[in-house]
Amino acid sequence: MARWWPILGLVCLCLAAAHGQDKLEGVDVEEVCADRPADEYFRLDTEGDCREVYRCDSAGEDGRWRLASIRCAGGLAFDVLRQLCDWKSNVKTCDVLEKPRKAKPILKTDEPICPEGKLSCGDGECLDKELFCNGKSDCKDESDENACSVDEDPNRAPECDPTQCALPDCFCSADGTRIPGGIEPQQVPQMITITFNGAVNVDNIDLYEDLFNGQRQNPNGCSIKGTFFVSHKYTNYSAVQDLHRRGHEISVFSLTHKDDPNYWSGGSYDDWLAEMAGSRLIVERFANITDGSIIGMRAPYLRVGGNKQFEMMADQFFVYDASITASLGRVPIWPYTLYFRMPHKCNGNAHNCPSRSHPVWEMVMNELDRRDDPTFDESLPGCHMVDSCSNVATGEQFARLLRHNFNRHYNSNRAPLGLHFHASWLKSKKEYRDELVKFIEEMLGRNDVFFVTNLQVIQWMQNPTELNSLRDFQEWKEKCDVKGQPYCSLPNACPLTTRELPGETLRLFTCMECPNNYPWILDPTGDGFSV
């Protein structure tokens, strides 16, 4: 079957022999399909309306190749580089027949081609093993950078070795489902993380004040906490400062939040440095966060940046990433460190997960089971952000989703349950907010459920503590209940411009002094560009 496209618009999937037969006259199907992946779509010509493509299918009775035809819906065109149907105005590849073929290195042979410590390029040239998948082409045919996935990279991280991976610094397990410290599930606190992506401002501050009103307390007597992945543009930094004062975790979601997904998945080390370390610098300065607590990040569109992103994170002392999703499985996955290989397939993220060893935690996003009736064994893919669960259209469905997924975690290995939101979705219907509040209060009626930050999850994993000792778990007491008032009641509303965003005047709300310019990627402090 064909997969679903980001823009759903497939009219049919049928054998080309029954559709468009005139196009196939004179086509040597065996030649067209030789060495071509079965899931790759291509054109036979550039005539027509750019809607029809083909893929090779070997499911015939005689096992011979045949062509399956696919046609995008009206108004859409097929982008062969991105392999999806999109609005015709967005497709610039109607004159391209197929994805470019990339030369592959020769890594698996019966007899070694190269001396020990060297590997063969696609053209047979032998190079040092460490030059493969290092981010720059060393083979003449550039094949050394074309087989670098988690499973292919010849310098990939090793499989989990529990004898070499010990807490508090390292945690791994073969399939990702093992409980830290070997604690029995009944003695493990069911941790729930509520996270928000995007700008913090007048559009959502009331929602955060409602959910985290200081009255809702975990079983240890501390008020519930959330994690905020803050993007820069339109953020009110005085509000971020107050969220931090009240014990919530502030993390970064990039500086520019560029809407080109390839910018993120193909980003260089310097791109990730400017976006994430730059964003942290802005938050620390204008939200006056001076305790070094901004240690987490999430990639926009969850487009992970491969090894370059994680090399930057290690160099800049980011402790964890929260962008990688794990497919819906029978048992959810615990967070893990990336010293060893990921314990699950690289799901989504443009398949650009880190393949090397990195001293970074991954706060994996377990997909939610979105089936309305969990007893009905229908095959539905999971969803990572709550607002990407497309079948949730009513408060009642949202309530079922929350409780069913809680039970999946609670009744198995009690891996942390992540509820990840964009605030606009929760605000789009009052019933969504009401159901989330009901769920939180119902869970707090138990004595073994805690709403904590991502950092608090890692702190517990580094020092696994049974339920009956959690009341005195010091790491969770540090920001237990915060008294007092906001740092300022009337923040500066700085009207600012920058050469980087010509024609735009943006307001920067901060309790700190106004900078000279609106902070942006080449001038994150706002001090530059002054004459």
Side-chain angles (χ1 to χ4, degrees), residues 86-131:
D86 200 349
W87 301 113
K88 193 159 187 176
S89 58
N90 295 338
V91 177
K92 314 298 182 190
T93 60
C94 288
D95 58 345
V96 178
L97 293 177
E98 61 184 2
K99 286 178 71 174
R101 299 284 187 104
K102 293 183 177 179
K104 296 277 190 175
I106 306 169
L107 301 179
K108 294 180 181 177
T109 56
D110 294 333
E111 295 292 331
I113 298 176
C114 300
E116 190 173 344
K118 293 181 181 288
L119 295 174
S120 174
C121 302
D123 59 7
E125 179 187 7
C126 292
L127 294 180
D128 291 339
K129 178 182 175 183
E130 58 264 24
L131 295 177

Coordinates of all heavy atoms in Angstrom, one line a residue, residues 86-131:
D86 N 1.8 17.7 -2.9 CA 1.7 19.0 -2.2 C 1.0 20.0 -3.1 O 0.7 19.7 -4.3 CB 3.1 19.6 -1.9 CG 3.1 20.7 -0.8 OD1 2.0 21.1 -0.5 OD2 4.2 21.0 -0.4
W87 N 0.6 21.1 -2.6 CA -0.1 22.1 -3.5 C 0.9 22.4 -4.7 O 2.1 22.6 -4.5 CB -0.4 23.4 -2.7 CG -1.3 23.2 -1.5 CD1 -1.0 23.3 -0.2 CD2 -2.6 22.8 -1.6 NE1 -2.1 23.0 0.6 CE2 -3.1 22.7 -0.2 CE3 -3.5 22.4 -2.6 CZ2 -4.4 22.3 0.1 CZ3 -4.8 22.0 -2.3 CH2 -5.2 22.0 -1.0
K88 N 0.3 22.6 -5.8 CA 1.1 22.7 -7.0 C 2.1 23.9 -7.0 O 3.2 23.8 -7.5 CB 0.2 22.9 -8.3 CG 0.9 22.7 -9.6 CD 0.0 22.3 -10.7 CE 0.8 22.0 -12.0 NZ 0.0 21.5 -13.1
S89 N 1.6 25.0 -6.3 CA 2.5 26.2 -6.2 C 3.7 25.9 -5.4 O 4.7 26.6 -5.5 CB 1.7 27.3 -5.6 OG 1.2 26.9 -4.3
N90 N 3.7 24.8 -4.5 CA 4.9 24.5 -3.7 C 5.8 23.5 -4.4 O 6.9 23.3 -3.8 CB 4.4 23.9 -2.4 CG 3.6 24.9 -1.5 OD1 3.8 26.1 -1.7 ND2 2.8 24.3 -0.6
V91 N 5.4 23.0 -5.5 CA 6.3 21.9 -6.1 C 7.1 22.5 -7.3 O 6.5 23.1 -8.2 CB 5.4 20.8 -6.7 CG1 6.2 19.8 -7.4 CG2 4.6 20.1 -5.5
K92 N 8.4 22.5 -7.1 CA 9.3 23.1 -8.1 C 10.0 22.0 -8.9 O 11.0 22.3 -9.6 CB 10.4 23.9 -7.4 CG 9.8 24.9 -6.3 CD 8.9 25.9 -6.9 CE 8.4 26.8 -5.8 NZ 7.3 27.7 -6.2
T93 N 9.6 20.7 -8.9 CA 10.3 19.6 -9.5 C 9.6 18.9 -10.6 O 9.8 17.8 -10.8 CB 10.7 18.6 -8.4 OG1 9.5 18.1 -7.8 CG2 11.6 19.2 -7.3
C94 N 8.6 19.6 -11.2 CA 7.8 19.0 -12.3 C 8.6 18.6 -13.5 O 8.2 17.7 -14.3 CB 6.7 19.9 -12.7 SG 5.4 20.0 -11.4
D95 N 9.8 19.1 -13.6 CA 10.7 18.8 -14.7 C 11.8 17.8 -14.3 O 12.7 17.5 -15.1 CB 11.4 20.0 -15.3 CG 12.2 20.8 -14.2 OD1 12.0 20.5 -13.0 OD2 13.1 21.6 -14.6
V96 N 11.6 17.2 -13.1 CA 12.6 16.2 -12.6 C 11.9 14.8 -12.7 O 10.8 14.7 -12.2 CB 13.0 16.5 -11.2 CG1 14.0 15.5 -10.7 CG2 13.7 17.9 -11.2
L97 N 12.6 13.8 -13.2 CA 12.0 12.5 -13.4 C 12.1 11.7 -12.1 O 11.2 10.9 -11.8 CB 12.7 11.7 -14.5 CG 12.4 12.3 -15.9 CD1 13.2 11.5 -17.0 CD2 10.9 12.3 -16.3
E98 N 13.2 11.8 -11.4 CA 13.5 10.9 -10.3 C 14.4 11.6 -9.3 O 15.1 12.5 -9.6 CB 14.1 9.6 -10.7 CG 15.4 9.8 -11.4 CD 16.0 8.5 -12.0 OE1 15.3 7.4 -11.9 OE2 17.1 8.5 -12.5
K99 N 14.4 11.0 -8.1 CA 15.4 11.4 -7.1 C 16.8 11.1 -7.6 O 17.0 10.1 -8.2 CB 15.2 10.7 -5.7 CG 14.0 11.1 -5.0 CD 13.8 10.2 -3.7 CE 14.9 10.6 -2.7 NZ 14.7 9.9 -1.4
P100 N 17.7 12.0 -7.3 CA 19.1 11.7 -7.8 C 19.6 10.4 -7.1 O 19.4 10.1 -6.0 CB 19.9 12.9 -7.2 CG 18.9 14.0 -6.9 CD 17.6 13.3 -6.6
R101 N 20.3 9.6 -7.9 CA 20.9 8.4 -7.4 C 22.3 8.7 -6.8 O 23.1 9.4 -7.4 CB 21.1 7.4 -8.5 CG 19.9 6.9 -9.3 CD 19.1 5.9 -8.4 NE 18.0 5.4 -9.2 CZ 18.0 4.1 -9.7 NH1 19.0 3.4 -9.5 NH2 16.9 3.7 -10.3
K102 N 22.5 8.3 -5.6 CA 23.7 8.5 -4.9 C 24.6 7.3 -4.9 O 24.1 6.2 -4.6 CB 23.5 9.0 -3.5 CG 22.8 10.4 -3.4 CD 22.6 10.8 -1.9 CE 22.0 12.2 -1.9 NZ 21.8 12.6 -0.5
A103 N 25.9 7.5 -5.1 CA 26.8 6.3 -5.0 C 26.9 5.9 -3.6 O 26.9 6.7 -2.6 CB 28.2 6.8 -5.5
K104 N 27.0 4.6 -3.3 CA 27.1 4.0 -2.0 C 28.4 3.4 -1.8 O 29.0 2.8 -2.8 CB 26.0 2.9 -1.8 CG 24.6 3.5 -1.9 CD 24.2 4.0 -0.5 CE 22.7 4.4 -0.5 NZ 22.2 4.8 0.8
P105 N 29.0 3.5 -0.6 CA 30.3 2.8 -0.4 C 30.1 1.3 -0.4 O 28.9 0.8 -0.2 CB 30.6 3.2 1.0 CG 29.3 3.6 1.7 CD 28.4 4.1 0.6
I106 N 31.1 0.5 -0.5 CA 31.0 -0.9 -0.5 C 31.5 -1.4 0.9 O 32.7 -1.5 1.1 CB 31.9 -1.5 -1.6 CG1 31.6 -0.9 -3.0 CG2 31.8 -3.1 -1.7 CD1 32.6 -1.2 -4.1
L107 N 30.5 -1.6 1.7 CA 30.8 -1.9 3.1 C 30.7 -3.4 3.5 O 31.4 -3.9 4.4 CB 29.9 -1.2 4.0 CG 29.9 0.4 3.9 CD1 28.9 1.0 4.8 CD2 31.3 0.9 4.2
K108 N 29.9 -4.2 2.7 CA 29.7 -5.6 3.0 C 30.2 -6.4 1.9 O 29.5 -6.4 0.8 CB 28.3 -5.9 3.4 CG 27.9 -5.2 4.7 CD 26.4 -5.5 5.1 CE 26.0 -4.7 6.3 NZ 24.6 -5.0 6.7
T109 N 31.2 -7.2 2.0 CA 31.7 -8.1 0.9 C 32.2 -9.4 1.6 O 32.5 -9.4 2.8 CB 32.9 -7.5 0.2 OG1 33.9 -7.1 1.2 CG2 32.5 -6.2 -0.5
D110 N 32.2 -10.5 0.8 CA 32.6 -11.8 1.3 C 34.1 -11.7 1.7 O 34.4 -12.3 2.7 CB 32.4 -12.8 0.2 CG 30.9 -13.1 0.0 OD1 30.1 -12.8 0.9 OD2 30.5 -13.5 -1.1
E111 N 34.9 -11.1 0.9 CA 36.3 -10.9 1.2 C 36.6 -9.5 1.3 O 36.1 -8.6 0.6 CB 37.1 -11.5 0.1 CG 37.0 -13.1 -0.1 CD 37.6 -13.8 1.1 OE1 38.5 -13.3 1.7 OE2 37.0 -14.9 1.4
P112 N 37.5 -9.1 2.3 CA 37.9 -7.7 2.4 C 38.5 -7.1 1.2 O 39.3 -7.7 0.5 CB 38.9 -7.7 3.6 CG 38.7 -9.0 4.3 CD 38.2 -10.0 3.2
I113 N 38.0 -5.9 0.8 CA 38.6 -5.2 -0.3 C 39.8 -4.3 0.1 O 40.7 -4.2 -0.7 CB 37.5 -4.3 -1.0 CG1 36.3 -5.1 -1.5 CG2 38.0 -3.4 -2.1 CD1 35.1 -4.2 -2.0
C114 N 39.7 -3.8 1.3 CA 40.7 -2.8 1.7 C 41.5 -3.4 2.9 O 41.0 -4.3 3.6 CB 40.0 -1.5 2.1 SG 39.1 -0.7 0.8
P115 N 42.6 -2.8 3.2 CA 43.4 -3.2 4.4 C 42.6 -2.9 5.6 O 41.7 -2.1 5.6 CB 44.7 -2.4 4.3 CG 44.7 -1.8 2.9 CD 43.3 -1.8 2.4
E116 N 43.1 -3.5 6.7 CA 42.4 -3.3 8.0 C 42.4 -1.8 8.4 O 43.4 -1.2 8.2 CB 43.1 -4.1 9.1 CG 42.3 -4.2 10.4 CD 42.9 -5.1 11.4 OE1 43.7 -6.0 11.0 OE2 42.6 -5.0 12.6
G117 N 41.3 -1.3 8.9 CA 41.2 0.1 9.3 C 40.7 1.0 8.2 O 40.6 2.2 8.3
K118 N 40.6 0.4 7.0 CA 40.1 1.2 5.8 C 38.8 0.6 5.2 O 38.6 -0.6 5.4 CB 41.2 1.2 4.7 CG 42.4 2.0 5.1 CD 43.5 2.1 4.0 CE 44.7 2.8 4.4 NZ 44.5 4.3 4.5
L119 N 38.1 1.4 4.5 CA 36.8 0.9 3.9 C 36.8 1.4 2.4 O 37.5 2.3 2.1 CB 35.6 1.5 4.6 CG 35.4 1.1 6.1 CD1 34.2 1.8 6.7 CD2 35.1 -0.4 6.1
S120 N 36.0 0.7 1.6 CA 35.9 1.0 0.2 C 34.9 2.0 -0.2 O 33.7 1.9 0.2 CB 35.7 -0.3 -0.6 OG 35.5 0.0 -1.9
C121 N 35.3 3.0 -0.9 CA 34.3 3.9 -1.6 C 33.5 3.1 -2.6 O 33.9 2.0 -3.0 CB 35.0 5.1 -2.2 SG 36.0 6.1 -1.1
G122 N 32.5 3.8 -3.2 CA 31.7 3.1 -4.3 C 32.6 2.7 -5.5 O 32.3 1.8 -6.2
D123 N 33.6 3.5 -5.7 CA 34.5 3.3 -6.9 C 35.7 2.4 -6.6 O 36.6 2.2 -7.4 CB 34.9 4.6 -7.5 CG 35.7 5.4 -6.5 OD1 36.0 4.9 -5.4 OD2 36.0 6.6 -6.8
G124 N 35.7 1.8 -5.3 CA 36.8 0.9 -5.0 C 38.0 1.6 -4.3 O 38.9 0.9 -3.8
E125 N 38.0 2.9 -4.2 CA 39.0 3.6 -3.5 C 39.0 3.3 -2.0 O 37.9 3.3 -1.4 CB 38.9 5.1 -3.7 CG 39.9 6.0 -3.0 CD 39.7 7.5 -3.1 OE1 38.6 7.8 -3.6 OE2 40.5 8.2 -2.7
C126 N 40.1 3.0 -1.4 CA 40.2 2.7 0.1 C 40.6 3.9 0.9 O 41.6 4.6 0.6 CB 41.1 1.6 0.3 SG 40.6 0.0 -0.4
L127 N 39.8 4.2 1.9 CA 40.0 5.4 2.8 C 39.9 4.9 4.2 O 39.3 3.9 4.5 CB 39.0 6.5 2.5 CG 39.1 7.2 1.2 CD1 38.0 8.3 1.2 CD2 40.5 7.8 0.9
D128 N 40.5 5.7 5.1 CA 40.5 5.4 6.6 C 39.0 5.4 7.0 O 38.2 6.2 6.6 CB 41.2 6.5 7.4 CG 42.7 6.4 7.2 OD1 43.2 5.3 6.7 OD2 43.4 7.4 7.4
K129 N 38.7 4.4 7.9 CA 37.3 4.2 8.3 C 36.7 5.4 9.0 O 35.6 5.7 8.8 CB 37.3 3.0 9.3 CG 36.0 2.7 9.9 CD 36.1 1.5 10.9 CE 34.7 1.3 11.6 NZ 34.8 0.2 12.6
E130 N 37.5 6.2 9.7 CA 37.0 7.3 10.5 C 36.6 8.5 9.5 O 35.9 9.4 10.0 CB 38.0 7.8 11.5 CG 39.3 8.2 11.0 CD 40.4 7.1 11.1 OE1 40.0 5.9 11.2 OE2 41.6 7.4 11.2
L131 N 37.0 8.4 8.2 CA 36.6 9.5 7.3 C 35.1 9.3 6.8 O 34.6 10.2 6.2 CB 37.5 9.5 6.1 CG 39.0 9.9 6.4 CD1 39.8 9.8 5.1 CD2 39.0 11.3 7.0

